Amino acid sequence: MITPKIAAKAAPTGAAPTTAHARARSNIALIKYWGKADSRLNLPAVGSISITLEALWSDTSVEFEAAHRVDELTLNGERNPNHLARVTACLDMLRGIAGVNVHARVSSRNSFPTGAGLASSASGFAALVSAAAAALGLELSPREQSIIARRASGSAARPIFGGFVEMHVATRADGTDSFAEPMLAADEWPLEVVVAITATREKDVSSSRGMTRSAESSPYYRAWVDSHPADLAVARAAIGARDFAALGEVAESNCLKMHAAAMAAAPPLLYWDGATVECLNRVRELRAAGIPVFFTIDAGPQVKAVCAPGARDAVRAALADVPGVLDTLVTGLGPGVEVGAGPGAG
Ligand code: DP6
């Protein structure tokens, strides 16, 4: 366990339990993170650009108490030993910064299906870092929280911030310059997202394992990494200019490149269902009919259709009608992590 070099500004003194809760949103990357430069520090091999989603959140409460003998995790109301090791590793970083050795009871609830490619680890770990830091009395800046969240899950570094967010690759060996930064607030370009849910099962191969397998075995992985800075530059310019068509073109291309690299891994990674492909075709048809929308897909079968303001209802109706689509969610862009917000999860 390597404690990130972050100095504690305050730490709890008494033995009383310290509790805090936080709400963090999920996010989707328009320019994807796929591949690690360093697995130990969880440094991404490529930068990424994401949008934070208002309606897809994790509410997490953390209670540190000297009497707890081990960390405990309750996820959506049920004890969850599967994700406990990653939660403990994240808490260990914060305990190391605070200089304490108390265990925690963590309770987290998602407003959306867990582990099915809707970035529950991103919102979950962003909320965990902020809630645990507050419960320990640590005054960490958003950037420091982003660095710690990155260590837990790369995509969790981004939704510490709201709206449009860029995540940087490290240039320093210790990774202290690999953090996310806000680009535009949610209301500065109020895009909306329709999520077409085609399955609610947890995915077979996690993003972590999928990207490692892609790096180790896909003949397209190098091309993915090498062509990435150009995609980031195009997306940055499109966001700066609020150019929806340009952003959509580079986002769709970047998404398909990521999946092409994954599909060419050994054994191959195919995150899509038949309905995923039908949704892509439907989005293209909508666009051909003049509706401003583009798609993106993460490591799961769900299709996220990003809509210019005003397009959402037509997109939702069209995707809900695709055979194999079980449900649709609609969300605007949301704020960064909020500490003390939301009901106590439990
Ligand atoms: C396809 O952040 O889940 O969603 O750092 O190993 O936890 P770890 O990976 P994770 O990967 C997310 C991959 C992605 C693209 C993205 O969100 O940028």
Side-chain angles (χ1 to χ4, degrees), residues 27-29 31-34 36 42 48 86 119 121-122 150 152-156 158 203 207-209 211 258 297-299:
N27 70 153
I28 50 169
I31 304 297
K32 308 287 185 194
Y33 151 49
W34 193 253
K36 296 176 197 269
N42 205 33
S48 53
R86 284 177 87 188
S121 71
R150 184 209 80 226
S153 183
S155 54
R158 297 181 310 228
K203 59 194 168 220
S207 302
S208 283
R209 284 195 291 131
M211 62 178 80
M258 180 199 111
I297 315 159
D298 289 313

Side-chain angles (χ1 to χ4, degrees), residues 79-154:
R79 282 287 187 87
N80 191 305
N82 297 346
H83 297 91
L84 185 59
R86 284 177 87 188
V87 166
T88 288
C90 183
L91 292 173
D92 282 346
M93 282 187 274
L94 292 156
R95 283 185 281 242
I97 295 165
V100 297
N101 190 19
V102 279
H103 289 103
R105 191 170 284 153
V106 176
S107 182
S108 191
R109 192 174 286 285
N110 295 332
S111 70
F112 58 93
T114 300
L118 291 177
S120 55
S121 71
S123 52
F125 282 111
L128 177 68
V129 168
S130 295
L136 288 169
L138 293 171
E139 288 172 20
L140 300 180
S141 68
R143 179 174 295 184
E144 289 168 333
Q145 292 178 45
S146 176
I147 290 171
I148 296 168
R150 184 209 80 226
R151 292 279 300 270
S153 183

